[in-house]
Amino acid sequence: MVVESVAIGVGACIVFDLWQRAVLRLTGIPPSNWALAGRWLLRLLSGGGLIAAGLATMPERRRELAADGRFIMRSRSAMRCCMR
């Protein structure tokens, strides 16, 4: 079960990365900036509210990219525990 889950996750990441590269090459649209999701999450956790107008123009926060990744991994772990 673990090996299959890892294989599916790695495969999904590869497909997503290839898709973003194809979209960039065909349309010129840049790939997703996941640091923005981390910036929003850090703002939300510090009491900034759910809606963040002008998020892209706000100054960068320390470790915003890492914050998003950790949150996603913990959320998945919590969901797996609840589904058992």
Side-chain angles (χ1 to χ4, degrees), residues 11-77:
C13 288
I14 291 170
V15 169
F16 187 69
D17 288 347
L18 292 173
W19 175 255
Q20 284 190 333
R21 287 178 190 217
V23 169
L24 176 64
R25 185 168 287 180
L26 295 172
T27 66
I29 298 172
S32 304
N33 182 359
W34 293 106
L36 285 176
R39 188 179 307 165
W40 173 82
L41 178 64
L42 291 172
R43 184 180 177 282
L44 177 68
L45 294 176
S46 65
L50 188 62
I51 306 298
L55 189 64
T57 59
M58 291 180 184
E60 291 183 13
R61 297 185 68 170
R62 187 171 175 245
R63 300 184 188 254
E64 59 190 23
L65 189 56
D68 184 49
R70 280 191 219 134
F71 179 75
I72 290 170
M73 294 305 287
R74 288 185 182 158
S75 298
R76 288 180 183 166
S77 296

